[in-house]
Every structure is written in C-alpha cells, then in structure tokens.
C-alpha cells in the first residue's frame, strides 16, 4: 500500500537511508526538513517532489529561497525551528519520521503527536529529555509511537506477540562496544576525534558515532527503552555484541529469550517502522548464517565509560536528570569535535552535571528547555 511520509532530518545518515526505503516501496514524500545541507536537500526535492520543505538554519534558508526562486513546481518553504514544528503538525502524511539529531527534535515530535500523526522515532532525545511529555501525548492522542533505533526496533519486533508481551521480564539491550571496546581509562586518555569516528560496524553521523565511542549512546538508549517499554532501568541489561548481528532481545516470565537478528543496516528498522504491522521486501541483504562464524557477548564496562554510568544514575534520579545529561553531552561532544577537549572530558562533564543537582519531580516543556540551557552552561563553565 502506498504511504505518504514526512521526513524530518532528511539529509542526515538516518534520513538518507529512510529515503532508500521510500524509494524502494514507492512511498510519497509530503514534506522534507533539514538543518543546513542545501545541496543535498535540493537533490532530494528534485527526486521526491515534496509539497513542503523546512530549513532550520537562517543562512541555509535564504540560500534555498534563491535556488528555488522562479521554479513553478517548487515546494512551499518553511523557516527555522517554527517551520520544523509546523511541518511536523501538517495534515497530509500517514507517518512522520523524526530523524533530527539532538534535543531539537523534541518539539517536532510533540507537534506530530498532538496533531494525530503516528510517529516513527529515530530522535532518541525526544524520550530522553521529555519522556513523560511524549508518552503522555501518545496516550492522549491515541497514536502509534514506532521505534526506529535498531535496538528498540528489535525489542518492539520481539514483543509483537501481545500475549507473551504481557509477561516481559527483562530487556537485553545490545551494544557494539564502539571503536574503543576493551580499552582502559589510560588508553582512552589520548584518543582523538579521528580515532573516535572510526566505528567498526555502523555508518552514522559524527555526533552519534562519538556517542557510540563513549557508550553515551547506549546510556541514552537505556533511558529511551525505559519509556518505550515500561520497565525500570534495573530490568534493562546492556550487553556488548561486537558483530552487531543480535540487535537486542527480550526475556519473558518463563525465562525464554527471543532476539532479533540481521545484518547491521539501519534500513531494516527504518522500514519496519514505516510498514508496520506489515513486513515487505527490503533493500537490505539477508544474513548469511553459513558465513557467520561467531556471535560474541560481553559485559559493558561502565567503570571505564563514565557516560553510561551517568545515564544510569540519571534515569534512577528521574525528573529532568536525563535531560541534563543529554544537554551536557551534546555540548561536550561539540567541543570534542572541535578538538577543544579530550575524549575523557565528555564523561567527566556528563557525570558532573548529573551529580550536581537532584532534578526530581514533574516538568513542563519549558522546564526541559531551561534544563538543557543550564546543562550547556555547566559545560561551558567546567571545560
């Protein structure tokens, strides 16, 4: 069945792979949104002919205006964060896929949900920073929240038997371990941006690749899983699966474990979010068991990788603590990518903000943004 999609974050790694899926399935694009990659966005406009396009960065918006001026079939342009939210809320698509990076995606997620759209969520920060806001909105508006992260999609797929899902006892959340698996704190001290960006299995954007190297990404995914599947953090076990073949697993009351396996290709979980509850042929090659020589399992080292320990502490504290951890991490990673701080400083700063206050209690969307601002200010003050 043909579907119409609004894709937020269309020029990033998840966005371009989402377009591979749309291309294969023949899905229409109602809207596209990007931060500043005008040239790539223009190519997407020429191929998919969306009705609306949002460009967040002001300079990029002006460039896009110039590029599209005078074209009779040009899409309607929307500007800035307000334009992103407006596009997310527009009537027209069957599904809104949010692949925006960072807390910038939260407002758009809420706008899509509150407008009655099913949301395919690749923006993990929506749940990390505003967990109860998002889950409460999903219940209130009766929409589906469809996970796109490979690990959460795997868990979601393993829980499709609704009867068994009632007895969910434990989540086994897998991690690749990143490029620095097995290293000591002293070995990590000298690691550079170039070292951290060499992920062994996945092709991702710079920010998420650094998060994988620090294991911050797994900490954020633990928080996200707690909101998505309703289990406390002590029922979510992180295990390192170096080959990235087992994407995650679930354990039921009888201690049976069901896992989802596949080649490490994001187009599998992206497609399942868009085609759910159906499964369709995909652009991804099949997993060749004859060539599969081993599946290794190890324990995640949160003593060395302090970002993971900080995220566990944050979800245990509750309230805005996960938001603070996320904001500090986003700021610290930006400094690391500019070669302004060392690799271990990222974990130091994230753990520092989590330990600095209690952060407990209920919160509003305005509180989330204020906490994010405060966390970034903490990083600037403690570099």
């Amino acid at each position: 069945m043909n579907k119409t999609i609004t894709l937020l974050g269309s020029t990033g790694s998840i966005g371009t792979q989402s377009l591979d899926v749309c291309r294969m399935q023949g899905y229409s694009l109602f809207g596209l949104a990007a931060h500043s990659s005008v040239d790539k966005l223009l190519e997407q406009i020429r191929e998919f002919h969306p009705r609306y396009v949002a460009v967040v960065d002001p300079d990029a918006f002006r460039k896009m205006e110039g590029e599209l001026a005078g074209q009779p079939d040009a899409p309607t342009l929307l500007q800035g964060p307000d334009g992103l939210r407006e596009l997310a809320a527009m009537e027209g698509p069957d599904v809104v896929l949010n692949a925006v990076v960072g807390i910038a995606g939260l407002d758009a997620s809420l706008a899509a949900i509150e407008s009655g759209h099913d949301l395919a969520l690749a923006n993990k920060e929506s749940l990390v920073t505003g967990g109860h806001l998002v889950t409460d909105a999903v219940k209130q508006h009766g929409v589906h929240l469809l996970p796109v992260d490979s690990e959460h999609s795997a868990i979601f797929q393993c829980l499709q038997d609704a009867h068994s899902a009632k007895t969910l006892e434990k989540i086994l959340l897998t991690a690749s371990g990143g490029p620095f698996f097995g290293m000591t704190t002293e070995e990590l001290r000298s690691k550079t941006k170039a070292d951290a960006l060499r992920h062994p299995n996945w092709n991702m954007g710079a920010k998420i690749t650094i998060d994988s190297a620090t294991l911050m990404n797994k900490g954020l995914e633990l928080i996200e899983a707690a909101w998505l599947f309703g289990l406390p953090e002590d029922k979510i076990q992180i295990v390192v699966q170096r080959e990235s073949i087992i994407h995650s697993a679930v354990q039921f009351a009888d201690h049976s474990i069901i896992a989802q396996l596949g080649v490490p290709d994001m187009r599998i979980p992206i497609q399942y979010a868009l085609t759910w509850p159906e499964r369709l042929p995909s652009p991804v090659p099949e997993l060749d068991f004859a060539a599969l020589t081993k599946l290794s399992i190890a324990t995640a080292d949160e003593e060395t990788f302090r970002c993971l320990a900080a995220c566990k502490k944050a979800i245990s504290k509750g309230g805005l603590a996960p938001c603070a951890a996320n904001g500090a991490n986003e700021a610290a990673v930006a400094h690391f990518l500019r070669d302004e701080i060392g690799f271990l400083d990222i974990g130091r700063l994230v753990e520092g903000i989590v330990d600095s206050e209690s952060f407990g209690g209920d919160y509003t969307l305005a509180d989330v943004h204020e906490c994010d601002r405060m966390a970034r200010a903490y990083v600037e003050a403690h570099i």
Side-chain angles (χ1 to χ4, degrees):
M1 184 180 71
N2 187 43
K3 286 187 177 181
T4 302
I5 311 297
T6 288
L7 176 56
L8 313 178
S10 67
T11 60
S13 174
I14 297 297
T16 54
Q17 292 177 88
S18 299
L19 291 176
D20 284 346
V21 172
C22 291
R23 191 179 289 114
M24 179 169 183
Q25 302 303 338
Y27 290 166
S28 303
L29 272 297
F30 178 82
L32 295 173
H35 183 266
S36 57
S37 299
V38 171
D39 292 341
K40 190 178 290 188
L41 189 53
L42 281 168
E43 292 176 8
Q44 295 173 353
I45 292 169
R46 284 191 285 269
E47 179 179 0
F48 292 97
H49 307 288
R51 290 176 58 186
Y52 295 91
V53 169
V55 182
V56 175
D57 180 76
D59 292 335
F61 177 82
R62 287 188 287 272
K63 181 179 178 182
M64 181 63 78
E65 272 191 317
E67 293 286 348
L68 295 179
Q71 295 188 20
D73 57 347
T76 301
L77 283 181
L78 306 168
Q79 181 178 9
D82 289 342
L84 185 68
R85 287 191 296 271
E86 183 180 353
L87 178 58
M90 280 185 174
E91 291 299 319
D94 297 297
V95 180
V96 174
L97 198 166
N98 187 352
V100 172
V101 175
I103 194 175
L106 171 60
D107 289 52
S109 288
L110 290 172
I113 294 166
E114 290 165 1
S115 299
H117 294 308
D118 288 343
L119 179 65
L121 188 61
N123 173 255
K124 60 175 58 68
E125 292 84 0
S126 290
L127 284 168
V128 170
T129 64
H132 88 75
L133 300 178
V134 174
T135 54
D136 288 354
V138 166
K139 292 173 185 174
Q140 179 181 347
H141 295 278
V143 301
H144 294 109
L145 184 60
L146 305 163
V148 171
D149 271 352
S150 60
E151 295 83 359
H152 302 98
S153 175
I155 297 161
F156 181 64
Q157 291 178 57
C158 291
L159 295 174
Q160 287 307 293
D161 172 6
H163 187 75
S164 295
K166 294 175 184 176
T167 71
L168 175 64
E169 182 179 79
K170 185 178 181 181
I171 287 171
L172 300 165
L173 189 69
T174 59
S176 70
F180 303 147
F181 174 72
M183 293 188 182
T184 66
T185 301
E186 281 307 308
E187 289 173 315
L188 293 177
R189 197 174 303 281
S190 61
K191 293 304 178 183
T192 66
K193 173 178 69 177
D195 296 328
L197 288 172
R198 283 195 283 267
H199 195 281
N201 300 335
W202 294 95
N203 178 22
M204 305 176 291
K207 194 267 181 183
I208 193 172
T209 304
I210 300 301
D211 284 352
S212 179
T214 63
L215 293 194
M216 181 71 185
N217 194 47
K218 209 49 51 180
L220 297 177
E221 288 176 2
L222 182 148
I223 297 168
E224 188 180 7
W227 284 110
L228 279 170
F229 305 110
L231 285 186
E233 70 277 2
D234 62 350
K235 295 292 186 181
I236 303 171
Q237 180 182 351
I238 296 176
V239 294
V240 176
Q241 208 288 291
R242 289 295 283 163
E243 297 79 23
S244 295
I245 297 298
I246 302 173
H247 297 297
S248 276
V250 297
Q251 179 176 305
F252 298 110
D254 61 357
H255 294 170
S256 293
I257 294 175
I258 294 179
Q260 186 263 331
L261 284 69
V263 296
D265 192 313
M266 280 302 301
R267 291 174 296 179
I268 293 176
I270 290 168
Q271 176 165 301
Y272 191 66
L274 294 179
T275 64
W276 178 85
E278 305 296 330
R279 290 188 185 270
L280 301 177
S282 95
V284 178
E286 68 179 46
L287 178 62
D288 183 0
F289 268 81
L292 194 61
T293 57
K294 68 174 182 176
L295 288 173
S296 58
I297 301 291
T299 302
D301 180 6
E302 59 189 79
E303 290 302 314
T304 300
F305 295 88
R306 299 308 298 167
C307 283
L308 177 54
C311 286
K312 284 189 172 183
K313 191 180 299 183
I315 188 63
S316 178
K317 281 189 168 187
L320 287 167
C323 177
N326 179 77
N329 180 67
E330 286 191 22
V333 169
H335 281 288
F336 178 70
L337 287 171
R338 295 194 295 267
D339 299 312
E340 295 168 353
I341 61 173
F343 181 78
L344 290 177
D345 289 323
I346 301 172
R348 172 179 66 83
L349 292 163
V350 173
E351 196 165 30
I353 187 66
V354 172
D355 288 338
S356 68
E357 293 188 33
S358 63
F359 297 106
D362 207 357
Y363 53 85
T364 66
L365 182 58
D367 294 330
V368 170
H369 288 296
E370 175 56 24
C371 179
D372 179 70
R373 184 204 62 75
M374 178 272 295
R376 293 169 191 271
Y378 175 93
V379 168
E380 299 306 316
H382 289 81
I383 285 177

